[in-house]
Amino acid sequence: LADFDIPMYNADLEARGTPPDVLRLKQLMFEHPAWIICSPEYNGAYTALLKNTIDWVSSPIKSDPAWTDGFKSFRGKVVGMLSASNGALGGLRSQSHLAPLLLNSQCWLAPKAFALACAADAFDADGALQDKAQHNNVRAVVEQVLWAARRLQVD
C-alpha cells in the first residue's frame, strides 16, 4: 500500500472526486482473483490503514459507470487472513473483526487462517520466520487460497 497515495477516507473528500491512486488500486484488486491480507493487530483490531483501504476501494463512484458498484473489486475474491501481534493471540481478535467485513463485501473467506504470536521474536535477521511450523502455517493459508481461487474462477 506504500505505492499508493491514498488519503484518509471521508465523504467530503470523495465528493470532490476519487483520487487517481484509489482508482488504480480498485482496478488492481479487481484484476486478481485472490488476495492474502496480512496485517498486524492494533488494540485488538485490524489497522486503520487496512480499514481506510477497504473504505476507499468499496466506495462506489457514481460518475463512472465502470465503478458504480462498490463491491466490484471484492465480489467473488478468495481471501486468506494472516495476522501478527506481539501478544499471545497473534492477531486473532483482529481477524475476528476483519472476517465479517470481508464477508459483507461478498468475498469468499478461506477457512484456514494464521495468527503469528510473539511476532517481535519470530523472525531472523533476514526477515524469515524462524519456526518451520509457523512457516508451514503461512504456506497452508496461501495454498488454500490459490486452490480455491482456481476452482471458483470463471472463464
Side-chain angles (χ1 to χ4, degrees), residues 57-101:
V57 173
S58 66
S59 181
I61 304 172
K62 294 179 179 96
S63 64
D64 186 339
W67 296 108
T68 57
D69 177 359
F71 292 124
K72 178 179 176 179
S73 294
F74 291 85
R75 186 176 293 108
K77 305 303 178 184
V78 178
V79 182
M81 292 189 303
L82 300 173
S83 59
S85 171
N86 287 332
L89 296 178
L92 284 176
R93 292 174 298 177
S94 68
Q95 289 182 15
S96 73
H97 295 285
L98 181 59
L101 179 59

Side-chain angles (χ1 to χ4, degrees), residues 4-143:
F4 297 87
D5 182 19
I6 298 177
M8 289 300 295
Y9 178 84
N10 75 64
D12 293 336
L13 178 60
E14 181 184 33
R16 293 193 300 262
T18 300
D21 273 2
V22 170
L23 289 170
R24 191 166 63 100
L25 184 57
K26 280 177 169 285
Q27 185 63 40
L28 182 67
M29 291 175 72
F30 173 74
E31 291 171 357
H32 290 82
W35 318 316
I36 300 292
I37 295 179
C38 185
S39 178
E41 179 179 271
Y42 292 169
N43 296 316
Y46 50 85
T47 66
L49 175 63
L50 180 54
K51 177 69 165 95
N52 190 60
T53 300
I54 291 169
D55 288 346
W56 270 114
V57 173
S58 66
S59 181
I61 304 172
K62 294 179 179 96
S63 64
D64 186 339
W67 296 108
T68 57
D69 177 359
F71 292 124
K72 178 179 176 179
S73 294
F74 291 85
R75 186 176 293 108
K77 305 303 178 184
V78 178
V79 182
M81 292 189 303
L82 300 173
S83 59
S85 171
N86 287 332
L89 296 178
L92 284 176
R93 292 174 298 177
S94 68
Q95 289 182 15
S96 73
H97 295 285
L98 181 59
L101 179 59
L102 294 171
L103 292 170
N104 186 61
S105 300
Q106 303 178 24
C107 295
W108 292 93
L109 196 56
K112 287 186 189 284
F114 179 64
L116 178 66
C118 304
D121 300 320
F123 298 92
D124 65 21
D126 296 322
L129 282 170
Q130 297 180 79
D131 184 276
K132 185 174 175 78
Q134 292 172 336
H135 176 82
N136 289 341
N137 285 330
V138 171
R139 180 181 299 270
V141 173
V142 172
E143 288 175 355

